[in-house]
Amino acid sequence: MPWFTIEEDALSQQQIAEACTRLLAEARTRINGNLKRVLLLPPDLTRAHSGAGHITELLYRELDAAGAHVEVIPTLGQHVPHTEAENKWMFGSIPHERIFAHDWRNGCTHVGVVPGKYVDATTGGAADWDIPIDLNTKLMTEQWDLVINVGHVVPHEVLGFANHNKNYFIGVAGKDTICASHIAAAVYGIENNLGCLVTPLRACFNYAEEKYMKHVPDCYIQIVMQRDKENKLVTSGLFVGDDLETYLQAARRSREQNITVFDKPIKKVVAVMQADEFRATWVANKAVYRTRMAIADGGELLILAPGVERFGEQPEVDALIRKYGYKGTPYTLALYKTEADMQAIPHGVAHLIHGSSEGRFTITYAPGHLTKAEIEQVGYNYADLAEMQARYNPATMKEGWNTMPDGEEVFYISTPSAGLWATKDKLNDPHRRDLSSPEQLAEAEKAAQ
């Protein structure tokens, strides 16, 4: 069970600060009474809107004042490392020299494997390969009195809901772990993952945490947010503890507050991806992932992305996207069987699958720094950003339904990464497997023996 939870319509900054103090008091009682060396694992700047950076700063300050040596590793996965200015923007007064960039290629240590038999059982045969577990060397080889995972629990395309041990097995994982896990989730199906408490890949990560991470003195502070009456994102829950139930309680609250359900599909969605958080389609495509279950066949998703200047977070992924584009699962998987550059970075292939509408609806990008030719080359439609911002002005559009002067009806979403939008039929599809049920998980584990 969680150590403690705080749930309100909107938590005050004082309540958040008090929760950080209480977390450290609980950790001293439950884990280690003498916290000399502490590691903080917060999200990167693509989760800045969650307030996780401020919570990380609060924890750092209190620990530092108590004489602890504290280090921070933003859980980048394979995202671009922060600049010093970005670290300051995200983490405030934490000294830059105490913040370490995760190196997913050369900075990891092999700690184990999730066997292919287990992957096969949990995915129902969709994937059957081993998932090697390679994790950040600093995390796994240095002595820590406490490791604190800070994160935002919100619907997620790979793990059903983000955070908890995603911080480890994607956020500070190595290339082979990220590649094997992402392609497994992709072939299982993005719409089978979104909004499920325990997806097959989450079950695999839970297996790995139980088997390989028991010696790590860690805990989690899980943030849940919702929109208030003025449609502003506010913190509505903090869940603190060191077990799976801490995640499950946070995910259940997120499921209640962060999923918008429709009786019938939407014809047109306009989504905004903020310039200070989203600079590549790799992360801006959260607009695609989180709305795809709500958009009608033949409908349109328009993405206003003033900060987007590239496709991939890494040069080789950027090149892969430019070469093959977002052209659908059958096309992409057929090429994956034969093309060496695809086989070298399977997580990039997974992204190509996730970012396609599978021909069901149109995806139109209005980017700040990519050309019409570049956008169309990857299979998307292009729109001029200035024209789209003039028509769908983020300063005047209201969250949800808007009727434009010419009568066009659109559904406007200012922060797609903070939720999930789906029709009732898709959300309740019986083919979606949720292994949070002990019976279903036991059945899958039995099949893996």
Side-chain angles (χ1 to χ4, degrees):
M1 294 297 292
W3 296 352
F4 65 91
T5 66
I6 306 173
E7 299 176 71
E8 302 276 358
D9 287 341
L11 272 66
S12 68
Q13 287 303 309
Q14 182 177 343
Q15 285 176 301
I16 292 170
E18 288 170 353
C20 291
T21 298
R22 184 175 172 187
L23 179 156
L24 294 175
E26 293 277 355
R28 288 185 176 99
T29 300
R30 296 169 182 264
I31 294 178
N32 192 323
N34 189 14
L35 300 179
K36 292 181 179 177
R37 284 179 50 82
V38 178
L39 179 63
L40 305 179
L41 298 178
D44 69 3
L45 58 79
T46 62
R47 302 274 182 200
H49 62 270
S50 69
H54 179 59
I55 286 176
T56 304
E57 184 184 16
L58 289 172
L59 292 167
Y60 181 93
R61 282 180 181 171
E62 187 161 340
L63 286 159
D64 184 63
H69 173 84
V70 189
E71 296 184 5
V72 180
I73 305 176
T75 53
L76 296 167
Q78 61 88 60
H79 292 177
V80 175
H82 295 176
T83 63
E84 184 170 356
E86 287 167 341
N87 275 333
K88 183 167 182 155
W89 175 73
M90 178 91 179
F91 302 117
S93 61
I94 299 177
H96 180 66
E97 61 270 18
R98 291 290 182 90
I99 304 173
F100 296 83
H102 172 61
D103 182 353
W104 70 306
R105 286 192 189 87
N106 303 306
C108 293
T109 298
H110 182 69
V111 299
V113 65
V114 179
K117 198 171 179 182
Y118 193 88
V119 179
D120 178 79
T122 55
T123 62
D128 62 358
W129 47 85
D130 291 352
I131 298 177
I133 302 299
D134 304 331
L135 299 177
N136 184 278
T137 299
K138 177 178 277 291
L139 163 68
M140 297 308 295
T141 63
E142 295 186 19
Q143 182 63 45
W144 303 105
D145 299 315
L146 180 64
V147 176
I148 306 175
N149 285 278
V150 183
H152 182 195
V153 176
V154 65
H156 190 266
E157 53 279 2
V158 172
L159 284 167
F161 287 85
N163 209 243
H164 196 247
N165 54 30
K166 174 181 181 287
N167 263 18
Y168 291 137
F169 303 114
I170 294 178
V172 292
K175 180 176 181 287
D176 290 345
T177 305
I178 291 172
C179 286
S181 59
H182 275 68
I183 195 67
V187 299
Y188 177 71
I190 183 172
E191 293 186 14
N192 292 326
N193 292 318
L194 284 156
C196 290
L197 295 177
V198 178
T199 63
L201 185 60
R202 170 74 70 182
C204 291
F205 286 173
N206 292 345
Y207 171 98
E209 184 175 19
E210 177 69 19
K211 195 163 181 66
Y212 304 120
M213 305 292 287
K214 274 193 166 181
H215 66 288
V216 177
D218 62 359
C219 66
Y220 296 90
I221 177 165
Q222 311 279 266
I223 303 159
V224 177
M225 307 188 81
Q226 69 171 345
R227 291 197 172 276
D228 65 12
K229 291 176 182 177
E230 285 75 46
N231 273 317
K232 291 180 181 175
L233 279 173
V234 294
T235 303
S236 59
L238 292 175
F239 300 79
V240 177
D242 60 359
D243 64 355
L244 181 61
E245 187 59 30
T246 303
Y247 158 74
L248 288 172
Q249 287 194 17
R252 289 185 191 108
R253 186 158 177 88
S254 176
R255 186 170 60 182
E256 293 168 5
Q257 297 184 335
N258 302 147
I259 301 180
T260 303
V261 184
F262 301 90
D263 289 326
K264 61 181 184 179
I266 302 170
K267 186 69 177 170
K268 184 163 182 174
V269 173
V270 177
V272 176
M273 303 309 289
Q274 288 71 24
D276 51 8
E277 294 183 48
F278 303 100
R279 294 165 192 170
T281 59
W282 180 274
V283 286
N285 270 1
K286 288 182 186 296
V288 180
Y289 313 153
R290 307 299 175 76
T291 64
R292 63 183 305 134
M293 293 172 72
I295 299 175
D297 291 359
E300 181 185 13
L301 168 63
L302 170 63
I303 305 170
L304 309 183
V308 165
E309 59 191 13
R310 58 187 183 270
F311 294 105
E313 289 285 283
Q314 306 294 333
E316 66 269 33
V317 177
D318 189 82
L320 194 83
I321 298 168
R322 290 174 185 272
K323 181 176 179 180
Y324 296 109
Y326 303 97
K327 306 286 179 64
T329 300
Y331 168 86
T332 305
L333 287 182
L335 287 168
Y336 179 53
K337 292 176 182 176
T338 61
E339 301 301 316
D341 54 352
M342 282 188 155
Q343 292 167 1
I345 45 174
H347 70 296
V349 178
H351 170 75
L352 296 181
I353 292 170
H354 289 160
S356 169
S357 73
E358 305 295 345
R360 265 205 325 106
F361 57 91
T362 300
I363 299 170
T364 302
Y365 250 94
H369 309 282
L370 290 173
T371 66
K372 183 174 188 288
E374 288 175 306
I375 290 294
E376 291 180 346
Q377 176 186 337
V378 301
Y380 291 155
N381 286 1
Y382 174 87
D384 180 80
L385 179 63
E387 289 179 15
M388 293 302 100
Q389 286 178 325
R391 178 171 175 80
Y392 308 105
N393 185 349
T396 57
M397 296 285 283
K398 64 182 182 184
E399 206 73 33
W401 289 108
N402 291 256
T403 302
M404 309 313 294
D406 60 2
E408 180 190 35
E409 274 201 326
V410 302
F411 194 88
Y412 176 78
I413 303 172
S414 65
T415 317
S417 57
L420 173 65
W421 291 259
T423 62
K424 218 177 268 183
D425 287 347
K426 290 212 169 186
L427 204 59
N428 298 323
D429 185 335
H431 294 101
R432 284 159 50 86
R433 229 177 182 205
D434 195 331
L435 298 175
S436 60
S437 154
E439 295 77 20
Q440 278 197 343
L441 184 57
E443 185 181 329
E445 288 178 335
K446 187 178 178 182
Q449 290 173 359

